[in-house]
Amino acid sequence: MKIFIENTYDQMSRKVCDNIISYIKNKPKSLICLAGGDTPLKTFEYLIQANLNDEVDFSQTTFVSLDEWVGLGKETKGSCIYTLYKNLYEKLNIDLEKQVHFFDGLSKDLKNECKKINHLIEKFDGLDISLLGIGLNGHLGFNEPNVDENIDCGIIELDNTTKTVGQKYFDTNLDLKYGITIGLKHLLNSKRLILIANGEKKAEIVEKTLYGEISNNVPSSLARKKPNFFIYLDRLASKNIINKNNI
Ligand code: F6R
């Protein structure tokens, strides 16, 4: 495990971008799993800029979106796929049809959506990079507290915290009940697992993630079982851990 603490969200995001670029330079044909949500947005800006400046070539890279709210698709502003398309995929020099994969939250056959993404991940022999935000309850994707670690992809009933906090992404209040997500089995087996968190509101869950009991009650804590786990924080999110272990 490696913990990186940067002064600002902006500096943290640049470092995360550099980490991804170095991996892709080494292995252009990677499969990258990306979270939606607010935390990665600045990293996405840096990735777009790097792609424009030819610092990184994504032409051989495959992207898979981490998760989706069941019942939502690209048309809904705030859905995971909307966020990723508008803030990243559409602005990269890539073939959207061939290089971008995601769960269709509007599908009538969600199990088949799981199969589709599982098949993709297996074809690549696992995820290369997973770039994940951390929920206030420690969820990774929609792997909510007490989730089964052995799920590869699944449809998960949302925790109350997620239902409430999730409203921040939408213009109107939505009835959020289930999420469809890449499961912990795949995420924890990523060749590089990158968690990111910024802002004071994440300080408590960051502390639990890094220093609490390793338990599926706090899914993000399970990342500590993995040697290739990187966590990037800004100063505010690291507030509760700054005096621990000489950080
Ligand atoms: C988003 C996702 C969620 C978020 C997490 C943090 O696709 O899967 O797990 O990463 O809830 O959200 P933000 O970044 O908005 O604080």
Side-chain angles (χ1 to χ4, degrees), residues 13 22 29 60 71-72 78 107 145 147 168 173 209 225 230 236-237:
S13 305
S22 70
K29 289 186 181 169
Q60 299 185 68
L72 302 189
S107 169
V147 72
K168 71 174 173 165
N173 237 47
T209 300
K225 296 206 265 185
F230 295 75
L236 292 170

Side-chain angles (χ1 to χ4, degrees), residues 12 25 42 69 94 96 126 133-134 144-145 151 155 175 183 193 204-205 237 244 246:
M12 173 196 107
K25 280 194 171 152
K42 198 80 198 171
W69 307 93
I94 57 173
L96 293 172
I134 310 176
E144 301 286 33
I151 292 177
I155 300 135
D175 187 18
L193 177 59
E204 198 179 321
I205 193 60
K244 295 191 175 168
N246 300 322

Side-chain angles (χ1 to χ4, degrees), residues 151-212:
I151 292 177
D152 37 27
C153 289
I155 300 135
I156 311 244
E157 187 169 3
L158 299 173
D159 188 74
N160 281 336
T161 307
T162 304
K163 289 181 190 167
T164 312
V165 176
Q167 301 297 339
K168 71 174 173 165
Y169 304 118
F170 306 106
D171 293 338
T172 50
N173 237 47
L174 294 180
D175 187 18
L176 306 167
K177 286 198 181 111
Y178 291 91
I180 179 165
T181 186
I182 297 179
L184 289 177
K185 186 171 161 201
H186 287 313
L187 296 178
L188 297 175
N189 279 328
S190 305
K191 294 181 187 71
R192 185 170 290 180
L193 177 59
I194 307 176
L195 301 196
I196 51 176
N198 70 290
E200 201 169 352
K201 62 182 184 303
K202 294 285 170 78
E204 198 179 321
I205 193 60
V206 163
E207 184 181 13
K208 283 190 193 155
T209 300
L210 296 177
Y211 295 97

Side-chain angles (χ1 to χ4, degrees), residues 16-226:
V16 176
C17 170
D18 290 344
N19 184 322
I20 294 172
I21 291 177
S22 70
Y23 192 99
I24 297 300
K25 280 194 171 152
N26 200 34
K27 189 181 174 197
K29 289 186 181 169
S30 288
L31 176 63
I32 306 193
C33 162
L34 295 172
D38 293 334
T39 320
L41 293 177
K42 198 80 198 171
T43 302
F44 294 164
E45 280 181 30
Y46 277 120
L47 287 171
I48 292 163
Q49 203 50 51
N51 192 219
L52 278 173
N53 299 343
D54 287 331
E55 273 178 71
V56 61
D57 174 9
F58 288 118
S59 62
Q60 299 185 68
T61 306
T62 301
F63 298 86
V64 60
S65 305
L66 169 64
D67 53 5
E68 190 54 270
W69 307 93
V70 167
L72 302 189
K74 233 194 234 169
E75 304 68 30
T76 305
K77 184 167 172 243
S79 67
C80 299
I81 195 56
Y82 179 98
T83 304
L84 281 159
Y85 260 81
K86 293 286 169 215
N87 294 289
L88 183 71
Y89 298 148
E90 283 180 357
K91 296 179 177 166
L92 293 178
N93 191 10
I94 57 173
D95 180 334
L96 293 172
E97 289 299 313
K98 291 195 182 127
Q99 290 175 254
V100 172
H101 300 261
F102 55 92
F103 293 106
D104 177 4
L106 289 170
S107 169
K108 294 267 171 293
D109 190 350
L110 293 171
K111 283 202 176 136
N112 194 50
E113 289 300 298
C114 289
K115 262 196 215 156
K116 177 184 88 180
I117 299 297
N118 252 328
H119 180 71
L120 173 79
I121 297 173
E122 279 158 16
K123 200 175 88 187
F124 275 82
D125 200 20
L127 296 163
D128 283 285
I129 301 176
S130 289
L131 175 65
L132 312 179
I134 310 176
L136 290 178
N137 59 4
H139 75 192
L140 296 179
F142 286 131
N143 294 283
E144 301 286 33
N146 298 316
V147 72
D148 180 348
E149 260 179 78
N150 296 311
I151 292 177
D152 37 27
C153 289
I155 300 135
I156 311 244
E157 187 169 3
L158 299 173
D159 188 74
N160 281 336
T161 307
T162 304
K163 289 181 190 167
T164 312
V165 176
Q167 301 297 339
K168 71 174 173 165
Y169 304 118
F170 306 106
D171 293 338
T172 50
N173 237 47
L174 294 180
D175 187 18
L176 306 167
K177 286 198 181 111
Y178 291 91
I180 179 165
T181 186
I182 297 179
L184 289 177
K185 186 171 161 201
H186 287 313
L187 296 178
L188 297 175
N189 279 328
S190 305
K191 294 181 187 71
R192 185 170 290 180
L193 177 59
I194 307 176
L195 301 196
I196 51 176
N198 70 290
E200 201 169 352
K201 62 182 184 303
K202 294 285 170 78
E204 198 179 321
I205 193 60
V206 163
E207 184 181 13
K208 283 190 193 155
T209 300
L210 296 177
Y211 295 97
E213 189 192 344
I214 297 182
S215 137
N216 58 358
N217 190 23
V218 180
S220 49
S221 69
L222 299 170
R224 274 159 51 209
K225 296 206 265 185
K226 298 286 155 182

